[in-house]
């Protein structure tokens, strides 16, 4: 490989913070709010000009479930933010979804403002249009002293005591040399999806079509009819989901784009181009085959293709498929998860892997899954947390990311109180504080902490 040696350079120290969070998706938002509300000087760094991650950048059209079909298992900051979005939507939206907690449609423009306001109200600082290009380690290699950021202002160094990797791809952890896995045994990755938003559609006409045709909400009859006629390629046999923001506006998650590694700019470029082409093809299909979509107009595609998996760190504990299936509780639980295992096929010929837990049941997510091997002041929360590939297919969704982010931000605050490492945080104190701030950690944990109080 050809190399080029950079000149030695002195750069300004732009900020000194208690906690720096890299990545402004669901994980980073919750982490920033939690750390700052508790009193830590907090900076959230995001490469785009808004927060929200896959829900706004990639236009993923709906929040995955917050409940186990009986009760909400994701509460705290995540539930607070979704409810705030509902309140800020128009009256029609509020009437439709006021009491809904699962598969709530996302109004991306409203959500961007909600996230801006919530993070700033917490006292955290925001820095948009900024990349972390380098990290700086202490001589022992066990702590990160800070990050080098690059933006229109120039290059500068941000010094921090603690760092939360909320990139979804474990970018910071990988820079620090943390071991990780990526995809399946052969390196295969779940495909990406280009989501999009259509206007000038007629929901009532669409509902009438479903009733009269016997097709379901994911329109498999229409999809397979179009495939048989050559108007859609073989592959996905149904639409993943319609999310109706209003009777004339709908977000769509449909189809796959294969062989995309979300840690490579070249793949993301190809995915964006191919994704937009697929959306054009899908729009023609909808206009031709699905009543209510005859005059549909495309108003937006995702800025980026939606990514389901990349790196998974190796942490102090690796959450496994068996933990999921046995619905285990751990003494250091910082969240609960009830979302089903949802592994999308790596090729168009593979079958999706899906497994649901019984209604009312969930499993614990231990604190140790957020702690990358070898680094003492870094948490990796969200999609890249320490788990096997099967569990990652369940753990990766936005509600779970909110919960893990809130735990990481709270832990970073507690560590800073007494100059502790991430591993020295007292679990009972962390759990009590999370519960005080509306998180739900399961009956066993709540009962145990109530007894000790």
């Amino acid at each position: 490989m050809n190399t080029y040696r950079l000149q030695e350079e002195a750069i300004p120290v732009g900020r000194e913070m208690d906690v720096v969070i890299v990545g402004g998706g669901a994980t980073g938002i919750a982490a920033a709010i939690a750390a700052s509300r508790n009193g830590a000087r907090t900076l959230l760094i995001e490469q785009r000009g808004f927060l929200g991650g896959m829900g706004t950048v990639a236009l993923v059209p709906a929040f995955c479930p917050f409940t186990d079909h009986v009760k909400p298992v994701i509460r705290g900051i995540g539930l607070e933010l979704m409810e705030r979005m509902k309140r800020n939507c128009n009256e029609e939206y509020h009437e439709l979804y006021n009491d809904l907690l699962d598969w709530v449609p996302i109004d991306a423009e409203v959500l961007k403002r909600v996230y801006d306001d919530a993070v700033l109200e917490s006292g955290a600082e925001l820095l948009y249009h900024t990349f972390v290009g380098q990290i700086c380690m202490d001589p022992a290699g066990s702590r990160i002293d800070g990050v080098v950021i690059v933006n229109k202002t120039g290059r500068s160094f941000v010094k921090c005591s603690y760092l939360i990797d909320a990139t979804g791809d474990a970018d910071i952890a990988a820079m620090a040399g943390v071991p990780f896995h990526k995809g399946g045994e052969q390196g295969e990755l779940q495909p990406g999806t280009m989501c999009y938003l259509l206007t000038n559609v007629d929901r009532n006409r669409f509902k009438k079509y479903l009733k009269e045709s016997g097709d379901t909400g994911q329109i498999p009859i229409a999809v397979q009819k179009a495939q048989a006629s050559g108007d859609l390629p073989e592959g996905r046999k149904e639409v993943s989901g319609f999310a109706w923001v209003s009777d004339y506006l709908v977000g769509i998650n449909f189809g796959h784009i294969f062989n995309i590694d979300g840690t490579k700019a070249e793949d993301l470029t190809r995915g964006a181009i191919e994704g937009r082409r697929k959306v054009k093809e899908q729009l023609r299909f909808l206009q031709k085959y699905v009543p209510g979509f005859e005059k549909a107009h495309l108003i937006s595609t995702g800025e980026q293709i939606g990514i389901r998996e990349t790196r998974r760190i190796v942490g102090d504990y690796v959450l496994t498929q068996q933990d999921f299936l046995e619905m285990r509780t751990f003494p250091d639980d910082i969240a609960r998860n009830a979302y089903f295992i949802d592994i999308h096929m790596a090729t168009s010929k593979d079958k999706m892997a899906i497994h649901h837990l019984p209604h009312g049941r969930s499993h614990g997510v231990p604190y140790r899954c957020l702690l990358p091997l070898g680094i003492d002041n870094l948490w990796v929360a969200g999609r890249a947390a320490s788990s096997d590939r099967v569990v990652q297919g369940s753990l990766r969704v936005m509600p779970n990311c909110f919960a893990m982010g809130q735990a990481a931000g709270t832990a970073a605050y507690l560590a800073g109180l007494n100059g502790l490492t991430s591993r020295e945080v007292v679990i009972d104190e962390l759990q009590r504080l999370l519960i005080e701030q509306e998180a739900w950690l399961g009956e066993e944990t709540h009962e145990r902490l109530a007894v000790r109080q």
Side-chain angles (χ1 to χ4, degrees), residues 3-304:
T3 61
Y4 182 85
R5 184 176 296 277
L6 297 175
Q7 295 180 351
E8 185 175 330
E9 177 185 9
I11 61 175
V13 177
R15 288 173 172 81
E16 295 190 26
M17 310 301 297
D18 296 328
V19 180
V20 167
I21 298 145
V22 184
T27 304
I29 293 163
I33 292 171
S36 188
R37 280 181 179 173
N38 280 302
R41 292 177 302 151
T42 304
L43 173 66
L44 175 56
I45 299 171
E46 166 55 39
Q47 62 180 305
R48 275 121 180 151
F50 52 87
L51 300 171
M54 293 294 100
T56 54
V57 174
L59 290 183
V60 171
F63 285 109
C64 286
F66 278 68
T67 80
D68 59 11
H69 297 283
V70 175
K71 61 186 176 301
V73 295
I74 305 299
R75 304 179 191 177
I77 290 171
L79 187 57
E80 169 194 330
L81 291 171
M82 185 177 72
E83 293 295 344
R84 185 166 175 170
M85 182 197 72
K86 290 183 194 178
R87 292 194 301 272
N88 280 270
C89 287
N90 62 34
E91 186 175 340
E92 177 190 359
Y93 181 99
H94 189 72
E95 289 176 357
L96 286 170
Y97 304 117
N98 183 51
D99 297 324
L100 193 66
L101 295 180
D102 295 344
W103 303 112
V104 173
I106 291 173
D107 187 323
E109 292 305 317
V110 171
L111 194 57
K112 289 175 187 177
R113 295 194 301 271
V114 165
Y115 287 156
D116 283 341
D117 292 345
V119 171
L120 293 174
E121 287 166 8
S122 76
E125 294 183 32
L126 273 172
L127 194 56
Y128 288 149
H129 304 294
T130 300
F131 283 85
V132 172
Q134 184 180 350
I135 63 169
C136 299
M137 307 287 293
D138 72 350
S142 62
R143 293 181 64 89
I144 299 174
D145 289 334
V147 297
V148 177
I149 61 173
V150 182
N151 55 28
K152 295 290 283 187
T153 307
R155 297 180 70 212
S156 62
F157 178 68
V158 179
K159 182 176 177 58
C160 61
S161 301
Y162 302 97
L163 193 65
I164 297 173
D165 185 336
T167 63
D169 301 311
D171 289 337
I172 305 304
M175 289 182 194
V178 172
F180 61 84
H181 300 290
K182 186 191 287 186
E185 293 181 0
Q186 306 302 318
E188 68 276 14
L189 292 162
Q190 294 182 57
T193 297
M194 179 62 81
C195 297
Y196 52 99
L197 195 61
L198 297 179
T199 191
N200 205 30
V201 290
D202 187 336
R203 187 181 190 184
N204 290 327
R205 181 165 165 73
F206 176 66
K207 289 164 69 176
K208 182 179 178 182
Y209 157 73
L210 296 182
K211 184 177 180 180
E212 293 177 349
S213 69
D215 215 345
T216 69
Q218 294 175 297
I219 58 170
I221 294 175
V223 170
Q224 291 165 42
K225 183 178 178 181
Q227 288 172 336
S229 300
D231 288 327
L232 274 180
E234 290 297 321
R236 189 95 169 112
K237 300 298 183 183
E238 60 186 14
V239 175
S240 297
F242 293 98
W244 294 86
V245 181
S246 72
D247 285 342
Y248 60 87
L249 184 66
V250 64
I252 299 177
N253 176 347
F254 183 23
H256 292 128
I257 300 172
F258 298 99
N259 302 313
I260 299 292
D261 183 342
T263 67
K264 296 180 178 179
E266 296 81 1
D267 282 14
L268 290 172
T269 301
R270 176 170 59 84
I273 295 168
E274 186 177 338
R276 287 189 283 270
R277 289 173 179 162
K278 283 187 176 290
V279 169
K280 180 181 178 182
E281 180 180 73
Q282 291 169 13
L283 178 57
R284 286 199 300 262
F285 149 70
L286 290 165
Q287 290 169 333
K288 181 177 179 179
Y289 286 88
V290 185
F293 285 79
E294 294 92 343
K295 298 180 180 181
H297 177 72
L298 176 67
I299 56 173
S300 186
T301 55
E303 180 183 334
Q304 176 192 304

Side-chain angles (χ1 to χ4, degrees), residues 71-76 327-337 362-367 402-404 406-408 410 427-449:
K71 61 186 176 301
V73 295
I74 305 299
R75 304 179 191 177
M327 296 168 283
R328 289 176 177 159
T329 293
F330 300 89
D332 59 336
D333 276 346
I334 46 80
R336 302 291 297 185
N337 170 42
S362 61
H363 71 83
V365 180
Y367 177 67
F402 280 131
M404 288 183 277
Q406 181 171 353
T410 305
I427 297 302
D428 280 5
E429 290 183 11
L430 172 59
Q431 291 172 328
R432 282 197 185 94
L433 190 51
L434 287 171
I435 291 169
E436 286 175 10
Q437 297 173 3
E438 306 300 326
W440 190 73
L441 308 182
E443 288 89 351
E444 291 183 36
T445 300
H446 285 248
E447 290 173 3
R448 173 173 57 81
L449 293 174

Side-chain angles (χ1 to χ4, degrees), residues 315-371:
D316 287 5
Y317 186 82
V318 179
L319 198 65
T320 68
Q321 179 179 1
Q322 204 62 28
D323 296 329
F324 178 96
L325 294 174
E326 295 183 7
M327 296 168 283
R328 289 176 177 159
T329 293
F330 300 89
D332 59 336
D333 276 346
I334 46 80
R336 302 291 297 185
N337 170 42
Y339 187 66
F340 58 89
I341 289 171
D342 179 22
I343 303 176
H344 291 238
M345 50 198 177
T347 74
S348 61
K349 296 180 180 179
D350 295 336
K351 293 183 178 180
M352 289 179 62
I354 294 178
H355 184 90
H356 292 265
L357 292 178
H359 287 193
R361 302 297 302 277
S362 61
H363 71 83
V365 180
Y367 177 67
R368 289 163 290 161
C369 291
L370 311 184
L371 305 181

Side-chain angles (χ1 to χ4, degrees), residues 380-399:
V380 180
R383 189 176 70 204
S386 180
S387 73
D388 66 19
R389 189 176 187 231
V390 174
V391 172
Q392 193 272 349
S394 166
L395 203 60
R396 61 183 170 83
V397 297
M398 283 183 275

